[in-house]
Amino acid sequence: MGMDPVTTGHLLGGKVVYRQFSTGNRTGLEPVLMAAFVPARPGQTVMEGGCGAGAGLLCLSNRVPRLTGIGLEHDDATAALARHNFMLNHRHGLHVRHATLPALPDDPLLSGPGVRRIDHAFANPPWHGQDSSASPHSQRDLARRLPTGALGGWVRAMAAQLRHHGTLTLALPCSLLAACCTAMEGARLGRIRVLPFWPRAGQAARIMLVQGRVNSHAGSEMLPGLVLHEADGRFTPAARAILEHGMPLTV
């Protein structure tokens, strides 16, 4: 492939073949969980900010048929790997474009003046701030370090692409809840829904999904959430249904 060494694995219990770099930022649970929460319907158009090697779009398109998807990725080598993964899984409706959010590429799949083409957008932003320690691996550093205050720029750029009542879903650490809600409200996103993930029963949640809807005036909701692991470290049945069987996160 003419790029750094990659490893070949699977997502969704083998339903998706997934290649990623053997070093650098490795895909975690967040893209799979996020894709399970996006309320896309067959035939719609979705956008992922910072798509990496394509895990989120691949998982969403496995659950929802006939999607058109566009992934935005800053790193050229990672974008090339995402294209390879889309081809490997015969996801001909998925595309990736080089972009450094909040800047967006000029692309016919994206919205233009007076026209909004995106039904749903989602992202797992590089949420470690500038005060976090830098990674010696450039791809990992790009994926993990979001400049302080830049979350609002991501939210505004992605929300501006959405159709009326379209949704924006973000996977974030719980420490950014206030900042995320402020950014979404500033971008005219309402009905903000928060879904926490508890590592084990009785432990504080560390990651969450936050979803807002364009031009909705409904109030915010704190959803029941999901316990990820049993006491012995195995995934709970509810988590396995999503991570291995590709079921939606319906609450």
Side-chain angles (χ1 to χ4, degrees), residues 39 71 101:
L101 284 166

Side-chain angles (χ1 to χ4, degrees), residues 181-242:
C181 290
T182 298
M184 284 191 170
E185 289 170 352
R188 299 182 65 184
L189 297 173
R191 199 197 174 201
I192 297 173
R193 309 169 79 211
V194 181
L195 196 157
F197 295 101
W198 296 287
R200 289 175 174 82
Q203 293 185 346
R206 294 198 297 263
I207 61 172
M208 62 181 178
L209 298 177
V210 185
Q211 185 178 91
R213 188 174 291 271
V214 173
N215 295 329
S216 175
H217 300 292
S220 300
E221 300 175 76
M222 179 63 71
L223 300 173
L226 182 71
V227 178
L228 294 174
H229 299 280
E230 305 281 11
D232 61 6
R234 293 178 300 166
F235 285 119
T236 62
R240 285 203 310 273
I242 295 159

Side-chain angles (χ1 to χ4, degrees), residues 11-16 29-40 56 58-64 195 197 209 226 228 236-251:
L11 301 169
L12 302 180
K15 298 178 179 65
V16 172
L29 301 181
E30 291 92 342
V32 186
L33 295 169
M34 183 171 53
F37 195 47
V38 176
L58 286 167
C59 290
L60 181 57
S61 63
N62 179 80
R63 177 171 62 85
V64 184
L195 196 157
F197 295 101
L209 298 177
L226 182 71
L228 294 174
T236 62
R240 285 203 310 273
I242 295 159
L243 298 172
E244 298 175 8
H245 303 298
M247 298 299 291
L249 255 170
T250 53
V251 288

Side-chain angles (χ1 to χ4, degrees), residues 80-167:
L81 186 55
R83 291 187 188 95
H84 176 76
N85 279 328
F86 297 159
M87 292 175 58
L88 198 62
N89 288 276
H90 309 288
R91 300 290 200 275
H92 304 298
L94 301 183
H95 313 271
V96 63
R97 300 289 184 265
H98 179 269
T100 304
L101 284 166
L104 294 170
D106 182 12
D107 191 280
L109 288 174
L110 296 177
S111 303
V115 178
R116 295 192 175 198
R117 297 186 175 90
I118 304 299
D119 296 290
H120 304 282
F122 57 104
N124 177 24
W127 46 263
H128 292 277
Q130 287 180 320
D131 56 345
S132 64
S133 59
S135 167
H137 194 284
S138 60
Q139 287 166 341
R140 177 176 294 173
D141 201 48
L142 283 168
R144 295 181 69 234
R145 286 163 56 85
L146 186 70
T148 303
L151 180 60
W154 277 54
V155 169
R156 287 190 298 273
M158 298 183 76
Q161 295 290 309
L162 292 170
R163 296 179 188 267
H164 181 62
H165 282 179
T167 67

Side-chain angles (χ1 to χ4, degrees), residues 25-80:
N25 194 60
R26 303 279 291 179
T27 297
L29 301 181
E30 291 92 342
V32 186
L33 295 169
M34 183 171 53
F37 195 47
V38 176
R41 298 192 302 273
Q44 289 189 326
T45 300
V46 299
M47 176 179 73
E48 182 178 10
C51 69
L57 284 167
L58 286 167
C59 290
L60 181 57
S61 63
N62 179 80
R63 177 171 62 85
V64 184
R66 305 191 309 279
L67 282 183
T68 296
I70 181 167
L72 308 177
E73 174 53 45
H74 172 86
D75 181 69
D76 286 331
T78 306

